[in-house]
Amino acid sequence: MVDVVLGIDIGGTNTKFSAVDKNGNCLVSGRISTHDYLDFSAFLKSLVNEIKISIVNYKDFELSIIGIGIGAPNGNHYTGTIEYAPNLNWTGVINIVESFKEYFENIPVLLTNDANAAAIGEMVFGSAKNMKDFIVITLGTGLGSGIVVDGKILYGKDGCAGEVGHITVFPEGRVCGCGRKGCLEAYASATGIKRTFIEMLKNTNLQSVLKNIPEETITSKKIFEAASEGDQLSLEAFEYTGKILGLKLADLIAIFNTDAIFLLGGLAQAGELIFKPTKKHMEENLLKIFKNKVKLLPSGITSEQAAVLGASALVWKKFKK
Amino acid sequence: MVDVVLGIDIGGTNTKFSAVDKNGNCLVSGRISTHDYLDFSAFLKSLVNEIKISIVNYKDFELSIIGIGIGAPNGNHYTGTIEYAPNLNWTGVINIVESFKEYFENIPVLLTNDANAAAIGEMVFGSAKNMKDFIVITLGTGLGSGIVVDGKILYGKDGCAGEVGHITVFPEGRVCGCGRKGCLEAYASATGIKRTFIEMLKNTNLQSVLKNIPEETITSKKIFEAASEGDQLSLEAFEYTGKILGLKLADLIAIFNTDAIFLLGGLAQAGELIFKPTKKHMEENLLKIFKNKVKLLPSGITSEQAAVLGASALVWKKFKK
């Protein structure tokens, strides 16, 4: 009999799960579509069914589920609910923790948002095992953050802390998805670098391999590929993205006196192309007392299962105390 | 016999102390000059002498000193030292906690910076008694902050967290005392509003009672007095200061999901002149989920002894746990 925690990562497109042992091994994994279910109850029924079949089919040992950790967009740790997540079909308030408990009785179920789950994953299974103060920045469609203060996630009064994507860079800057202007995530995210690139394209004489393709087909991935081949305009888009991100990471360091900042998510996969300019501009903007002291790191979890590992870590952290 | 904590507030000009009982009554108070002592040892000897005389001369009860709490510019809670405080005569690293312990044996001595002391004062004796997440902003010559997360001061890895005065408002903005550009305290502080006023004076047709006095004699106090009398340019300087401060308080709320923000210090004494524009621009810049939820408050400690009360609270908080 092996104790496992179910780690569940609810994304806009797919929902992934793994039965994770205390060492971070994913013994059983699976996924179902999130997008296909317009109704949360139907989604949950399918997910639970898929999980139970996988667990039963696992032959090496008997698996004992001792807890469930869930990472989801807008997941609120305090209330156990998802509220108005922009990329999910389900509108209103979804009481996700209570709903899971109906299927899994007497098992602790914990929820947090995806960026916090990533931060806890780094603490339990990744590169932040010996850190008490660090920040995880997820650079995906938007910009999320998981902030760890003295060994604990910063949740704030209502569990809504960490909206670093919506601190203001330019008071009269780009319109953001939140309806405000000049937010960090309008610059430093997959969407942000695309907007930067398209703006640059209109105001440059530089050549670019992406110059003659339709604007709507430009993606952060194509900009990355072009930059990797030395495309000058794509390299400038990365430089500018790193400049804005570095400037605001310096603000976070002034506020938190943190030990390390991890960059995760799609855009962070660009490696040195994003790390190098970010690090440079972060250092340039730091107060003297913080210079050359803060590590800027990629995730220490190389597994494709990073998100479910993070979700499971939410529960493992409690048991390991 | 009454238990008291010595609260000591070391300022650039004067150092104040009080023997504070558990209800926040200052039973004995005194002060000596800080500025007159070029040497820390001589300063400390005089201060201790003054304290001992005051305690002995107190006739109502016998006072038993059970701890010493010290607030000082750049005071580091972790190391017990003051390092390179810009407004103090003493250069280098002053090992202040150890030095006090030589005079007061077997008594706990705790140090923090003045903004953190103010935050702890608010928690123990002021308006934050029932709050676990709040931020104190001190608007003096510079801008300091004491950030409380889940009932504890945010110190960060090395005790240097809370440098909110040095987050960037305008990347190419005003030169700041720290050597960088566009820092919040170059706009939102007594010095900041003076700079704003002088800039406005050069670019306006508006009349002002301060128009014909020498530039170097303009102070934030004079701008406040003029604004109180309805001086248009002075009112605009307050409006602009509140605009910048409100914008960055919205950033802090996005990051911390805090319950309340307290404005303290000289410039906060201007009351509605600074609170009103700050509140307006803070609300305008908040994410929807935070709108109309965060209180913007003056200190709940009306005593002139606020700083020494805060310093003593550093120790009382430990004993009251």
Side-chain angles (χ1 to χ4, degrees), chain A residues 233-262:
Chain A
L233 201 65
S234 301
L235 286 167
E236 291 215 358
F238 271 101
E239 164 69 22
Y240 184 75
T241 306
K243 179 179 174 176
I244 302 295
L245 182 56
L247 177 69
K248 290 295 120 177
L249 294 188
D251 280 0
L252 291 181
I253 293 165
I255 294 170
F256 287 99
N257 180 201
T258 198
D259 194 5
I261 296 177
F262 292 86

PDB file of all heavy atoms in Angstrom, chain A residues 233-262:
ATOM      1  N   LEU A 233      14.618  41.728 -35.317  1.00  0.00           N
ATOM      2  CA  LEU A 233      13.422  42.332 -34.735  1.00  0.00           C
ATOM      3  C   LEU A 233      12.869  41.452 -33.608  1.00  0.00           C
ATOM      4  O   LEU A 233      12.429  41.959 -32.565  1.00  0.00           O
ATOM      5  CB  LEU A 233      12.358  42.551 -35.817  1.00  0.00           C
ATOM      6  CG  LEU A 233      11.305  43.587 -35.457  1.00  0.00           C
ATOM      7  CD1 LEU A 233      11.915  44.974 -35.314  1.00  0.00           C
ATOM      8  CD2 LEU A 233      10.204  43.619 -36.516  1.00  0.00           C
ATOM      9  N   SER A 234      12.933  40.151 -33.796  1.00  0.00           N
ATOM     10  CA  SER A 234      12.466  39.227 -32.751  1.00  0.00           C
ATOM     11  C   SER A 234      13.355  39.339 -31.517  1.00  0.00           C
ATOM     12  O   SER A 234      12.874  39.327 -30.379  1.00  0.00           O
ATOM     13  CB  SER A 234      12.474  37.791 -33.278  1.00  0.00           C
ATOM     14  OG  SER A 234      11.648  37.694 -34.414  1.00  0.00           O
ATOM     15  N   LEU A 235      14.649  39.483 -31.735  1.00  0.00           N
ATOM     16  CA  LEU A 235      15.573  39.666 -30.609  1.00  0.00           C
ATOM     17  C   LEU A 235      15.254  40.963 -29.869  1.00  0.00           C
ATOM     18  O   LEU A 235      15.288  41.005 -28.641  1.00  0.00           O
ATOM     19  CB  LEU A 235      17.028  39.692 -31.108  1.00  0.00           C
ATOM     20  CG  LEU A 235      17.598  38.321 -31.519  1.00  0.00           C
ATOM     21  CD1 LEU A 235      18.915  38.496 -32.279  1.00  0.00           C
ATOM     22  CD2 LEU A 235      17.819  37.432 -30.284  1.00  0.00           C
ATOM     23  N   GLU A 236      14.898  42.006 -30.615  1.00  0.00           N
ATOM     24  CA  GLU A 236      14.549  43.277 -29.961  1.00  0.00           C
ATOM     25  C   GLU A 236      13.270  43.158 -29.140  1.00  0.00           C
ATOM     26  O   GLU A 236      13.128  43.801 -28.102  1.00  0.00           O
ATOM     27  CB  GLU A 236      14.418  44.391 -31.004  1.00  0.00           C
ATOM     28  CG  GLU A 236      15.769  44.741 -31.596  1.00  0.00           C
ATOM     29  CD  GLU A 236      15.921  46.232 -31.916  1.00  0.00           C
ATOM     30  OE1 GLU A 236      14.963  46.991 -31.712  1.00  0.00           O
ATOM     31  OE2 GLU A 236      17.011  46.605 -32.360  1.00  0.00           O
ATOM     32  N   ALA A 237      12.339  42.359 -29.626  1.00  0.00           N
ATOM     33  CA  ALA A 237      11.092  42.148 -28.871  1.00  0.00           C
ATOM     34  C   ALA A 237      11.398  41.441 -27.538  1.00  0.00           C
ATOM     35  O   ALA A 237      10.828  41.785 -26.497  1.00  0.00           O
ATOM     36  CB  ALA A 237      10.096  41.343 -29.692  1.00  0.00           C
ATOM     37  N   PHE A 238      12.307  40.486 -27.562  1.00  0.00           N
ATOM     38  CA  PHE A 238      12.705  39.827 -26.304  1.00  0.00           C
ATOM     39  C   PHE A 238      13.430  40.808 -25.377  1.00  0.00           C
ATOM     40  O   PHE A 238      13.203  40.822 -24.172  1.00  0.00           O
ATOM     41  CB  PHE A 238      13.588  38.601 -26.586  1.00  0.00           C
ATOM     42  CG  PHE A 238      12.786  37.345 -26.775  1.00  0.00           C
ATOM     43  CD1 PHE A 238      12.532  36.842 -28.045  1.00  0.00           C
ATOM     44  CD2 PHE A 238      12.273  36.658 -25.676  1.00  0.00           C
ATOM     45  CE1 PHE A 238      11.778  35.689 -28.226  1.00  0.00           C
ATOM     46  CE2 PHE A 238      11.524  35.503 -25.843  1.00  0.00           C
ATOM     47  CZ  PHE A 238      11.269  35.018 -27.122  1.00  0.00           C
ATOM     48  N   GLU A 239      14.314  41.619 -25.964  1.00  0.00           N
ATOM     49  CA  GLU A 239      15.050  42.612 -25.170  1.00  0.00           C
ATOM     50  C   GLU A 239      14.072  43.559 -24.464  1.00  0.00           C
ATOM     51  O   GLU A 239      14.185  43.815 -23.260  1.00  0.00           O
ATOM     52  CB  GLU A 239      16.001  43.407 -26.090  1.00  0.00           C
ATOM     53  CG  GLU A 239      16.562  44.717 -25.533  1.00  0.00           C
ATOM     54  CD  GLU A 239      17.548  44.542 -24.385  1.00  0.00           C
ATOM     55  OE1 GLU A 239      18.129  43.453 -24.273  1.00  0.00           O
ATOM     56  OE2 GLU A 239      17.717  45.510 -23.594  1.00  0.00           O
ATOM     57  N   TYR A 240      13.071  44.045 -25.193  1.00  0.00           N
ATOM     58  CA  TYR A 240      12.108  44.982 -24.606  1.00  0.00           C
ATOM     59  C   TYR A 240      11.265  44.302 -23.527  1.00  0.00           C
ATOM     60  O   TYR A 240      11.012  44.878 -22.466  1.00  0.00           O
ATOM     61  CB  TYR A 240      11.202  45.558 -25.707  1.00  0.00           C
ATOM     62  CG  TYR A 240      10.234  46.604 -25.195  1.00  0.00           C
ATOM     63  CD1 TYR A 240      10.680  47.884 -24.880  1.00  0.00           C
ATOM     64  CD2 TYR A 240       8.884  46.300 -25.008  1.00  0.00           C
ATOM     65  CE1 TYR A 240       9.800  48.844 -24.395  1.00  0.00           C
ATOM     66  CE2 TYR A 240       7.998  47.253 -24.521  1.00  0.00           C
ATOM     67  CZ  TYR A 240       8.459  48.523 -24.212  1.00  0.00           C
ATOM     68  OH  TYR A 240       7.602  49.458 -23.723  1.00  0.00           O
ATOM     69  N   THR A 241      10.852  43.082 -23.782  1.00  0.00           N
ATOM     70  CA  THR A 241      10.056  42.336 -22.800  1.00  0.00           C
ATOM     71  C   THR A 241      10.855  42.146 -21.509  1.00  0.00           C
ATOM     72  O   THR A 241      10.337  42.346 -20.400  1.00  0.00           O
ATOM     73  CB  THR A 241       9.653  40.962 -23.389  1.00  0.00           C
ATOM     74  OG1 THR A 241       9.001  41.180 -24.642  1.00  0.00           O
ATOM     75  CG2 THR A 241       8.720  40.216 -22.449  1.00  0.00           C
ATOM     76  N   GLY A 242      12.138  41.797 -21.670  1.00  0.00           N
ATOM     77  CA  GLY A 242      13.011  41.624 -20.507  1.00  0.00           C
ATOM     78  C   GLY A 242      13.246  42.936 -19.765  1.00  0.00           C
ATOM     79  O   GLY A 242      13.367  42.959 -18.543  1.00  0.00           O
ATOM     80  N   LYS A 243      13.266  44.029 -20.517  1.00  0.00           N
ATOM     81  CA  LYS A 243      13.480  45.339 -19.905  1.00  0.00           C
ATOM     82  C   LYS A 243      12.328  45.697 -18.956  1.00  0.00           C
ATOM     83  O   LYS A 243      12.541  46.102 -17.813  1.00  0.00           O
ATOM     84  CB  LYS A 243      13.604  46.403 -21.012  1.00  0.00           C
ATOM     85  CG  LYS A 243      13.813  47.810 -20.504  1.00  0.00           C
ATOM     86  CD  LYS A 243      13.945  48.795 -21.669  1.00  0.00           C
ATOM     87  CE  LYS A 243      14.008  50.221 -21.128  1.00  0.00           C
ATOM     88  NZ  LYS A 243      14.223  51.192 -22.197  1.00  0.00           N
ATOM     89  N   ILE A 244      11.113  45.507 -19.456  1.00  0.00           N
ATOM     90  CA  ILE A 244       9.933  45.831 -18.653  1.00  0.00           C
ATOM     91  C   ILE A 244       9.823  44.861 -17.467  1.00  0.00           C
ATOM     92  O   ILE A 244       9.577  45.270 -16.324  1.00  0.00           O
ATOM     93  CB  ILE A 244       8.647  45.736 -19.516  1.00  0.00           C
ATOM     94  CG1 ILE A 244       8.734  46.668 -20.725  1.00  0.00           C
ATOM     95  CG2 ILE A 244       7.419  46.027 -18.664  1.00  0.00           C
ATOM     96  CD1 ILE A 244       8.774  48.121 -20.394  1.00  0.00           C
ATOM     97  N   LEU A 245      10.024  43.571 -17.740  1.00  0.00           N
ATOM     98  CA  LEU A 245       9.919  42.582 -16.665  1.00  0.00           C
ATOM     99  C   LEU A 245      10.993  42.821 -15.605  1.00  0.00           C
ATOM    100  O   LEU A 245      10.709  42.815 -14.400  1.00  0.00           O
ATOM    101  CB  LEU A 245      10.027  41.165 -17.252  1.00  0.00           C
ATOM    102  CG  LEU A 245       9.894  40.006 -16.268  1.00  0.00           C
ATOM    103  CD1 LEU A 245       8.573  40.077 -15.489  1.00  0.00           C
ATOM    104  CD2 LEU A 245       9.998  38.659 -16.998  1.00  0.00           C
ATOM    105  N   GLY A 246      12.232  43.070 -16.049  1.00  0.00           N
ATOM    106  CA  GLY A 246      13.336  43.309 -15.117  1.00  0.00           C
ATOM    107  C   GLY A 246      13.074  44.503 -14.211  1.00  0.00           C
ATOM    108  O   GLY A 246      13.341  44.474 -13.007  1.00  0.00           O
ATOM    109  N   LEU A 247      12.528  45.565 -14.807  1.00  0.00           N
ATOM    110  CA  LEU A 247      12.209  46.785 -14.051  1.00  0.00           C
ATOM    111  C   LEU A 247      11.222  46.469 -12.921  1.00  0.00           C
ATOM    112  O   LEU A 247      11.398  46.909 -11.777  1.00  0.00           O
ATOM    113  CB  LEU A 247      11.598  47.823 -15.007  1.00  0.00           C
ATOM    114  CG  LEU A 247      11.131  49.141 -14.416  1.00  0.00           C
ATOM    115  CD1 LEU A 247      12.310  49.965 -13.943  1.00  0.00           C
ATOM    116  CD2 LEU A 247      10.315  49.946 -15.437  1.00  0.00           C
ATOM    117  N   LYS A 248      10.198  45.683 -13.231  1.00  0.00           N
ATOM    118  CA  LYS A 248       9.176  45.405 -12.223  1.00  0.00           C
ATOM    119  C   LYS A 248       9.628  44.319 -11.235  1.00  0.00           C
ATOM    120  O   LYS A 248       9.211  44.322 -10.075  1.00  0.00           O
ATOM    121  CB  LYS A 248       7.851  45.036 -12.891  1.00  0.00           C
ATOM    122  CG  LYS A 248       7.184  46.218 -13.597  1.00  0.00           C
ATOM    123  CD  LYS A 248       6.747  47.322 -12.623  1.00  0.00           C
ATOM    124  CE  LYS A 248       7.394  48.647 -12.905  1.00  0.00           C
ATOM    125  NZ  LYS A 248       6.923  49.733 -11.999  1.00  0.00           N
ATOM    126  N   LEU A 249      10.497  43.416 -11.655  1.00  0.00           N
ATOM    127  CA  LEU A 249      11.066  42.459 -10.692  1.00  0.00           C
ATOM    128  C   LEU A 249      11.904  43.217  -9.659  1.00  0.00           C
ATOM    129  O   LEU A 249      11.919  42.860  -8.477  1.00  0.00           O
ATOM    130  CB  LEU A 249      11.912  41.397 -11.402  1.00  0.00           C
ATOM    131  CG  LEU A 249      11.163  40.433 -12.330  1.00  0.00           C
ATOM    132  CD1 LEU A 249      12.101  39.323 -12.813  1.00  0.00           C
ATOM    133  CD2 LEU A 249       9.928  39.831 -11.680  1.00  0.00           C
ATOM    134  N   ALA A 250      12.582  44.279 -10.104  1.00  0.00           N
ATOM    135  CA  ALA A 250      13.346  45.109  -9.151  1.00  0.00           C
ATOM    136  C   ALA A 250      12.408  45.718  -8.108  1.00  0.00           C
ATOM    137  O   ALA A 250      12.746  45.798  -6.923  1.00  0.00           O
ATOM    138  CB  ALA A 250      14.126  46.191  -9.892  1.00  0.00           C
ATOM    139  N   ASP A 251      11.215  46.136  -8.539  1.00  0.00           N
ATOM    140  CA  ASP A 251      10.212  46.644  -7.587  1.00  0.00           C
ATOM    141  C   ASP A 251       9.854  45.557  -6.566  1.00  0.00           C
ATOM    142  O   ASP A 251       9.779  45.817  -5.355  1.00  0.00           O
ATOM    143  CB  ASP A 251       8.920  47.054  -8.309  1.00  0.00           C
ATOM    144  CG  ASP A 251       9.009  48.422  -8.972  1.00  0.00           C
ATOM    145  OD1 ASP A 251      10.073  49.063  -8.876  1.00  0.00           O
ATOM    146  OD2 ASP A 251       8.011  48.840  -9.587  1.00  0.00           O
ATOM    147  N   LEU A 252       9.609  44.347  -7.059  1.00  0.00           N
ATOM    148  CA  LEU A 252       9.225  43.253  -6.151  1.00  0.00           C
ATOM    149  C   LEU A 252      10.331  42.960  -5.138  1.00  0.00           C
ATOM    150  O   LEU A 252      10.067  42.664  -3.975  1.00  0.00           O
ATOM    151  CB  LEU A 252       8.900  41.979  -6.942  1.00  0.00           C
ATOM    152  CG  LEU A 252       7.630  42.008  -7.789  1.00  0.00           C
ATOM    153  CD1 LEU A 252       7.435  40.664  -8.484  1.00  0.00           C
ATOM    154  CD2 LEU A 252       6.401  42.338  -6.945  1.00  0.00           C
ATOM    155  N   ILE A 253      11.572  43.053  -5.603  1.00  0.00           N
ATOM    156  CA  ILE A 253      12.700  42.793  -4.698  1.00  0.00           C
ATOM    157  C   ILE A 253      12.782  43.887  -3.634  1.00  0.00           C
ATOM    158  O   ILE A 253      13.023  43.603  -2.465  1.00  0.00           O
ATOM    159  CB  ILE A 253      14.013  42.674  -5.506  1.00  0.00           C
ATOM    160  CG1 ILE A 253      13.957  41.406  -6.377  1.00  0.00           C
ATOM    161  CG2 ILE A 253      15.231  42.622  -4.572  1.00  0.00           C
ATOM    162  CD1 ILE A 253      15.001  41.348  -7.475  1.00  0.00           C
ATOM    163  N   ALA A 254      12.540  45.147  -4.027  1.00  0.00           N
ATOM    164  CA  ALA A 254      12.531  46.249  -3.041  1.00  0.00           C
ATOM    165  C   ALA A 254      11.438  46.009  -1.995  1.00  0.00           C
ATOM    166  O   ALA A 254      11.616  46.282  -0.817  1.00  0.00           O
ATOM    167  CB  ALA A 254      12.319  47.586  -3.741  1.00  0.00           C
ATOM    168  N   ILE A 255      10.327  45.478  -2.422  1.00  0.00           N
ATOM    169  CA  ILE A 255       9.206  45.257  -1.509  1.00  0.00           C
ATOM    170  C   ILE A 255       9.445  44.025  -0.627  1.00  0.00           C
ATOM    171  O   ILE A 255       9.199  44.065   0.574  1.00  0.00           O
ATOM    172  CB  ILE A 255       7.883  45.083  -2.305  1.00  0.00           C
ATOM    173  CG1 ILE A 255       7.524  46.391  -3.028  1.00  0.00           C
ATOM    174  CG2 ILE A 255       6.742  44.636  -1.396  1.00  0.00           C
ATOM    175  CD1 ILE A 255       6.385  46.256  -4.025  1.00  0.00           C
ATOM    176  N   PHE A 256       9.937  42.930  -1.232  1.00  0.00           N
ATOM    177  CA  PHE A 256       9.969  41.651  -0.514  1.00  0.00           C
ATOM    178  C   PHE A 256      11.342  41.225   0.007  1.00  0.00           C
ATOM    179  O   PHE A 256      11.419  40.301   0.808  1.00  0.00           O
ATOM    180  CB  PHE A 256       9.429  40.526  -1.407  1.00  0.00           C
ATOM    181  CG  PHE A 256       7.938  40.573  -1.589  1.00  0.00           C
ATOM    182  CD1 PHE A 256       7.364  41.130  -2.722  1.00  0.00           C
ATOM    183  CD2 PHE A 256       7.102  40.068  -0.603  1.00  0.00           C
ATOM    184  CE1 PHE A 256       5.990  41.182  -2.883  1.00  0.00           C
ATOM    185  CE2 PHE A 256       5.725  40.110  -0.748  1.00  0.00           C
ATOM    186  CZ  PHE A 256       5.167  40.669  -1.896  1.00  0.00           C
ATOM    187  N   ASN A 257      12.431  41.849  -0.449  1.00  0.00           N
ATOM    188  CA  ASN A 257      13.778  41.375  -0.093  1.00  0.00           C
ATOM    189  C   ASN A 257      13.823  39.853  -0.229  1.00  0.00           C
ATOM    190  O   ASN A 257      14.174  39.124   0.675  1.00  0.00           O
ATOM    191  CB  ASN A 257      14.122  41.806   1.344  1.00  0.00           C
ATOM    192  CG  ASN A 257      15.500  41.385   1.833  1.00  0.00           C
ATOM    193  OD1 ASN A 257      15.755  41.313   3.029  1.00  0.00           O
ATOM    194  ND2 ASN A 257      16.405  41.066   0.942  1.00  0.00           N
ATOM    195  N   THR A 258      13.443  39.388  -1.422  1.00  0.00           N
ATOM    196  CA  THR A 258      13.292  37.952  -1.656  1.00  0.00           C
ATOM    197  C   THR A 258      14.632  37.310  -2.025  1.00  0.00           C
ATOM    198  O   THR A 258      15.573  37.992  -2.425  1.00  0.00           O
ATOM    199  CB  THR A 258      12.213  37.728  -2.752  1.00  0.00           C
ATOM    200  OG1 THR A 258      11.764  36.391  -2.701  1.00  0.00           O
ATOM    201  CG2 THR A 258      12.745  38.045  -4.146  1.00  0.00           C
ATOM    202  N   ASP A 259      14.691  35.990  -1.876  1.00  0.00           N
ATOM    203  CA  ASP A 259      15.922  35.245  -2.112  1.00  0.00           C
ATOM    204  C   ASP A 259      16.111  34.913  -3.591  1.00  0.00           C
ATOM    205  O   ASP A 259      17.226  34.943  -4.119  1.00  0.00           O
ATOM    206  CB  ASP A 259      15.838  33.943  -1.295  1.00  0.00           C
ATOM    207  CG  ASP A 259      17.171  33.252  -1.179  1.00  0.00           C
ATOM    208  OD1 ASP A 259      18.192  33.807  -1.638  1.00  0.00           O
ATOM    209  OD2 ASP A 259      17.203  32.138  -0.621  1.00  0.00           O
ATOM    210  N   ALA A 260      15.001  34.579  -4.253  1.00  0.00           N
ATOM    211  CA  ALA A 260      15.093  34.152  -5.650  1.00  0.00           C
ATOM    212  C   ALA A 260      13.777  34.402  -6.366  1.00  0.00           C
ATOM    213  O   ALA A 260      12.717  34.429  -5.746  1.00  0.00           O
ATOM    214  CB  ALA A 260      15.430  32.662  -5.730  1.00  0.00           C
ATOM    215  N   ILE A 261      13.869  34.591  -7.678  1.00  0.00           N
ATOM    216  CA  ILE A 261      12.679  34.691  -8.522  1.00  0.00           C
ATOM    217  C   ILE A 261      12.782  33.614  -9.598  1.00  0.00           C
ATOM    218  O   ILE A 261      13.814  33.482 -10.254  1.00  0.00           O
ATOM    219  CB  ILE A 261      12.563  36.091  -9.159  1.00  0.00           C
ATOM    220  CG1 ILE A 261      12.379  37.149  -8.049  1.00  0.00           C
ATOM    221  CG2 ILE A 261      11.395  36.149 -10.145  1.00  0.00           C
ATOM    222  CD1 ILE A 261      12.326  38.582  -8.533  1.00  0.00           C
ATOM    223  N   PHE A 262      11.721  32.815  -9.713  1.00  0.00           N
ATOM    224  CA  PHE A 262      11.662  31.772 -10.732  1.00  0.00           C
ATOM    225  C   PHE A 262      10.773  32.248 -11.873  1.00  0.00           C
ATOM    226  O   PHE A 262       9.689  32.772 -11.627  1.00  0.00           O
ATOM    227  CB  PHE A 262      11.056  30.492 -10.140  1.00  0.00           C
ATOM    228  CG  PHE A 262      11.927  29.827  -9.121  1.00  0.00           C
ATOM    229  CD1 PHE A 262      11.872  30.210  -7.783  1.00  0.00           C
ATOM    230  CD2 PHE A 262      12.806  28.812  -9.490  1.00  0.00           C
ATOM    231  CE1 PHE A 262      12.684  29.593  -6.830  1.00  0.00           C
ATOM    232  CE2 PHE A 262      13.623  28.195  -8.542  1.00  0.00           C
ATOM    233  CZ  PHE A 262      13.564  28.590  -7.205  1.00  0.00           C
TER     234      PHE A 262
END
